[in-house]
Amino acid sequence: MPPATEVTERAPKPTPRSGGRAPGGSRSRTVPWAVVALWVVALALAAPFAGKLMDVTRDKPTDYLPGGADSTRVQHLVEKLPGGNTSALLLVHHRDGGLTAADRELARGQVRQIAGTYSLAGEKDGALPRTVPAKDGETLLTAFSLTGMGDEDVRDEAVHRIRDEIAGQPRGLTVELGGPGAMAADSSEIFESVDGTLMLGTAVVVALLLILTYRSPVLWLVPLLVVGVAALAARALVYGLVQAFDLTATTMNTSVMTVLIFGAGTDYALLLVSRYREELRAHQRPFDAMTAALRGCGPAVLASSGTVAAGLLCLLAADLNSVNALGPVGAVGVVCALVAMTTLLPALLVLLGRRLFWPLIPAYGSAAPARRTLFTAMGGSAGRRPVTVLVGGALLLGALCLGTLALPGDLREQDTFTEKPESVSAQETVQKAFPDSSSRPVTVLARATAAPDVERAVRGTDGVVRVEKGRSGGGWTEFSAFAKDRPESEGELDTIRRLRGELTGLDGAEALVGGPSAQQLDLRETNADDRKVVIPLVLAAVLVILIALLRSLVAPLILTAAVVATWGAALGLGGLAFEPVLGFEGLDAGIPLMTFVFLVALGVDYGIFLMHRTREESLRGVPVAAASLIALRTTGGVIASAGIVLAATFCVLATLPMVLMAELGLVIAVGVLLDTFLVRTYLVTSAAQLLKRWMWWPGRLFRAEGEAGSAAGSARGE
């Protein structure tokens, strides 16, 4: 963390203006108070709605599936069939060394008790679901489905009640409840704890880092308070969007929004407070200092937030429901952070005055800090050996990118949790006991008029070992097809592909293939398609904003190429750590796309901070090579602090018990740190040293520096 030491040596104070009044007048207090009053009113209106966001947050399978996929349509149609609100469960009994006669009798009694308490789908005249023994005699498997489980709370309560009833078994006997319904209940339990844990953890991390950065007992509270206000406003707005436009708000989306608000909002606060501290030495009134600070860093903050928001909104082009909805949810968070940090934070800082910085108060007329910092040294090395630094850094990033070759395969549904719940343990027991068959059916839906043809086609598909005719209703008939290969294996996925191929040619059948394994296949393929659409859109949006801000083509291209390389390097480090070090059994299919969007959009932030200050110095006539070193020296500490805060907030995601969140948080955190301490400080600075005025080509600064160079050459008689 860069030091926050203030220089105690004072420069002579500027002479006050005639009349004894510094600029600003009565506006210096009325405007800040008016801003605070408006925010108080806004919060009073927003607070009731912010608290309702959790009530409309949804985490059904369809909320995370591709909108146009066959498996998504199957999920919706199955819920509309008679008894469609079912929950499939697996009751698993296991004893190492073999089940005893008492174990088998106990299992029959438990199945009988469940059948007597709940309505089971497909079981008539008091018949009990079939119990299947494993060949080794160590495991019994009973598959059944509960009806009337359309409400998630009812399903979760049923799962927990059954688990309570089967608990406390004889020593050595393991009884577990698994299956899709149990896994959904375990997911709900985890999701319920995520929101509060994430908010508290992120706030603590940000508070600690702000205290270390500012080294003030009070100053850190103000940005943290404003970030909390922004989070409250964002939650209210997202609730409004859900009600008005039926926006899908999932736990993943709201969690990422929270991290974005705390991370990006704190970054904007660090940049603004740093510039405000600078201006307090040159202006007597805090109001005037804040006006100058906003004028100086406002365009960079606006472009930064605009880049992140534009990148996120590009996700609207994705077909995956959860990723598609992440765009507007995340963009709302970023915009709220921007508005709060450029209105409420300045107002509070002005009202509280320069004493807020105690004990390192920036006195009016004091000299700016004059010391050799880490970033001065880093800039010096880049200035002395720009080619070596640039080539060495590029080779390092390229080497790290090779780690993507070691990324684990696709994440299976049972491996989505970092802490193994009972449903996953039950599934693993089943897979070991029945390695040559699937206990989880593939669902096939077809028009009732074509049901006989569809059934024949399904039975004749290679890889299908058993077919059961299910329910009918609304013109549709359901079949359950069991593959010979275990769930989510490549063999079962190939069987699903063959099923879809066989059924496509049946006239009038409109056959659809779904179920959990088909959903995972559709997730994989849809994520691949979404990457082809979203990534070019993000790159185009980022380039347009950078070109508009920097009035150049070369600098934006360099910044964009740098963040893309950073993304590849961060993903490569993930490949080296996820499976060998952290034990993750797979990579979530959405990680490449989501990390690309966040790292490109957020990484460009620091490029904007650095290059905007470089451009500011260049506009004063400083050559770009020298301007880049000045920019690094003056903004390097702020960028480092911002990068550490942002990385730390995303690391909080890695503490959540879901592999998706852990992988997302770690890749983004590593990428932000690489961007902060390697790309921005060394590579971009060394590129500026080499390209000089060509960084601004073909803008006005490129021409102005060229004309200045020609004039200087003429004056020397060259």
Side-chain angles (χ1 to χ4, degrees):
M1 187 67 60
T5 307
E6 284 284 335
V7 172
T8 57
E9 180 184 351
R10 302 290 176 87
K13 284 190 176 183
T15 304
R17 295 187 179 185
S18 60
R21 296 188 63 184
S26 61
R27 294 177 64 244
S28 64
R29 299 199 68 82
T30 56
V31 171
W33 277 117
V35 171
V36 172
L38 285 174
W39 270 102
V40 169
V41 173
L43 287 179
L45 296 173
F49 301 106
K52 296 180 180 179
L53 180 59
M54 284 300 296
D55 297 336
V56 297
T57 300
R58 306 183 317 208
D59 291 296
K60 292 183 178 179
T62 50
D63 297 322
Y64 290 88
L65 291 176
D70 282 4
S71 60
T72 308
R73 292 188 61 197
V74 168
Q75 186 72 25
H76 285 300
L77 289 170
V78 163
E79 293 173 358
K80 297 177 182 178
L81 291 175
N85 293 323
T86 62
S87 187
L89 299 170
L90 298 175
L91 184 61
V92 183
H93 295 77
H94 175 81
R95 183 187 289 274
D96 290 335
L99 294 162
T100 66
D103 293 338
R104 297 177 189 276
E105 181 60 32
L106 176 67
R108 283 193 291 271
Q110 289 177 342
V111 172
R112 194 177 298 113
Q113 181 180 0
I114 292 171
T117 306
Y118 300 95
S119 175
L120 305 187
E123 307 299 336
K124 299 179 180 179
D125 301 325
L128 297 179
R130 187 165 65 105
T131 297
V132 181
K135 292 180 181 179
D136 59 10
E138 294 184 347
T139 306
L140 289 176
L141 171 63
T142 307
F144 59 96
S145 295
L146 305 182
T147 61
M149 297 290 118
D151 185 87
E152 293 180 20
D153 293 335
V154 173
R155 177 205 63 202
D156 295 348
E157 183 181 352
V159 168
H160 294 313
R161 187 181 301 169
I162 292 174
R163 283 176 172 168
D164 289 339
E165 292 170 355
I166 63 177
Q169 303 310 323
R171 186 174 182 179
L173 177 66
T174 302
V175 185
E176 296 172 315
L177 187 67
M183 188 168 289
D186 289 336
S187 299
S188 295
E189 187 174 359
I190 291 172
F191 286 144
E192 286 174 1
S193 65
V194 162
D195 197 57
T197 302
L198 184 66
M199 183 75 77
L200 178 61
T202 307
V204 169
V205 167
V206 169
L208 289 174
L209 291 173
L210 286 176
I211 291 171
L212 291 173
T213 301
Y214 292 138
R215 299 185 182 179
S216 166
V218 181
L219 177 58
W220 64 275
L221 283 168
V222 181
L224 189 62
L225 171 66
V226 177
V227 167
V229 169
L232 188 70
R235 293 176 70 84
L237 285 174
V238 170
Y239 174 79
L241 290 175
V242 171
Q243 296 296 333
F245 303 103
D246 197 28
L247 181 71
T248 301
T250 65
T251 298
M252 183 195 77
N253 293 346
T254 55
S255 298
V256 171
M257 180 187 74
T258 298
V259 170
L260 267 177
I261 293 170
F262 274 84
T266 306
D267 280 4
Y268 304 152
L270 287 168
L271 185 66
L272 179 64
V273 171
S274 174
R275 190 62 178 262
Y276 176 54
R277 186 199 296 264
E278 210 176 298
E279 299 294 342
L280 280 172
R281 299 190 186 93
H283 297 82
Q284 186 173 8
R285 288 182 179 271
F287 181 85
D288 301 319
M290 182 56 71
T291 301
L294 286 171
R295 189 180 298 117
C297 68
V301 172
L302 183 61
S304 169
S305 60
T307 302
V308 178
L312 287 169
L313 290 176
C314 290
L315 291 173
L316 287 169
D319 188 37
L320 195 62
N321 286 340
S322 56
V323 174
N324 179 289
L326 178 58
V329 171
V332 165
V334 171
V335 171
C336 286
L338 169 70
V339 174
M341 291 302 166
T342 54
T343 57
L344 181 59
L345 178 62
L348 292 175
L349 291 174
V350 168
L351 291 174
L352 294 171
R354 65 178 74 234
R355 289 187 179 85
L356 184 64
F357 289 88
W358 185 87
L360 305 174
I361 300 174
Y364 172 55
S366 62
R371 62 186 184 275
R372 183 174 176 80
T373 65
L374 170 65
F375 298 98
T376 303
M378 296 172 78
S381 62
R384 289 190 302 271
R385 295 180 292 275
V387 175
T388 302
V389 170
L390 188 60
V391 172
L395 289 175
L396 176 60
L397 288 178
L400 292 177
C401 288
L402 294 176
T404 56
L405 300 175
L407 285 168
D410 291 307
L411 189 69
R412 297 178 300 171
E413 185 182 28
Q414 69 186 60
D415 298 323
T416 54
F417 306 107
T418 57
E419 299 173 2
K420 188 184 299 181
E422 183 177 325
S423 57
V424 171
S425 177
Q427 184 67 31
E428 291 178 348
T429 302
V430 170
Q431 290 179 358
K432 291 177 183 177
F434 303 91
D436 298 325
S437 63
S438 174
S439 59
R440 191 165 71 184
V442 176
T443 303
V444 178
L445 279 182
R447 287 295 181 184
T449 53
D453 294 335
V454 170
E455 185 174 2
R456 281 193 296 271
V458 174
R459 291 185 184 278
T461 301
D462 185 32
V464 175
V465 295
R466 189 170 89 253
V467 180
E468 297 177 0
K469 186 175 181 180
R471 300 158 294 172
S472 294
W476 294 90
T477 297
E478 177 191 28
F479 297 94
S480 295
F482 292 84
K484 67 179 181 180
D485 299 292
R486 62 182 177 83
E488 295 183 55
S489 64
E490 284 303 318
E492 189 198 36
L493 296 181
D494 287 340
T495 299
I496 292 172
R497 294 187 185 98
R498 285 192 293 269
L499 267 174
R500 286 175 169 172
E502 292 287 340
L503 298 175
T504 299
L506 294 179
D507 293 335
E510 297 183 39
L512 303 167
V513 179
S517 295
Q519 291 170 3
Q520 295 301 310
L521 177 61
D522 288 337
L523 280 171
R524 180 195 302 182
E525 294 179 348
T526 301
N527 271 295
D529 292 338
D530 285 347
R531 287 196 294 271
K532 298 174 185 176
V533 175
V534 174
I535 287 178
L537 286 176
V538 172
L539 291 175
V542 167
L543 277 172
V544 167
I545 293 173
L546 287 176
I547 290 169
L549 176 71
L550 301 177
R551 305 292 196 274
S552 163
L553 287 178
V554 174
L557 287 172
I558 290 174
L559 292 178
T560 304
V563 291
V564 172
T566 302
W567 166 70
L571 207 57
L573 283 172
L576 299 176
F578 285 159
E579 193 169 12
V581 179
L582 301 175
F584 297 160
E585 296 295 331
L587 182 75
D588 188 276
I591 288 297
L593 177 59
M594 286 191 288
T595 54
F596 179 88
V597 172
F598 282 110
L599 279 179
V600 169
L602 293 171
V604 165
D605 273 12
Y606 304 134
I608 288 174
F609 295 162
L610 185 66
M611 293 306 296
H612 182 264
R613 187 60 182 261
T614 303
R615 187 172 188 274
E616 196 176 333
E617 297 296 332
S618 297
L619 287 171
R620 297 181 180 133
V622 180
V624 67
S628 65
L629 297 180
I630 295 172
L632 181 60
R633 185 173 65 250
T634 55
T635 65
V638 179
I639 291 176
S641 298
I644 292 172
V645 168
L646 189 62
T649 54
F650 272 97
C651 278
V652 176
L653 281 179
T655 65
L656 300 180
M658 289 177 285
V659 172
L660 165 63
M661 295 296 195
E663 291 177 341
L664 181 69
L666 289 174
V667 171
I668 294 176
V670 169
V672 167
L673 292 177
L674 280 174
D675 191 85
T676 302
F677 292 101
L678 174 63
V679 174
R680 297 297 147 224
T681 51
Y682 275 122
L683 302 192
V684 173
T685 302
S686 60
Q689 297 298 305
L690 288 171
L691 292 173
K692 295 183 173 56
R693 71 187 184 99
W694 286 93
M695 283 288 284
W696 306 125
W697 184 88
R700 179 168 61 88
L701 282 174
F702 167 76
R703 297 190 298 272
E705 192 168 331
E707 292 168 359
S710 299
S714 300
R716 292 193 300 267
E718 296 177 0

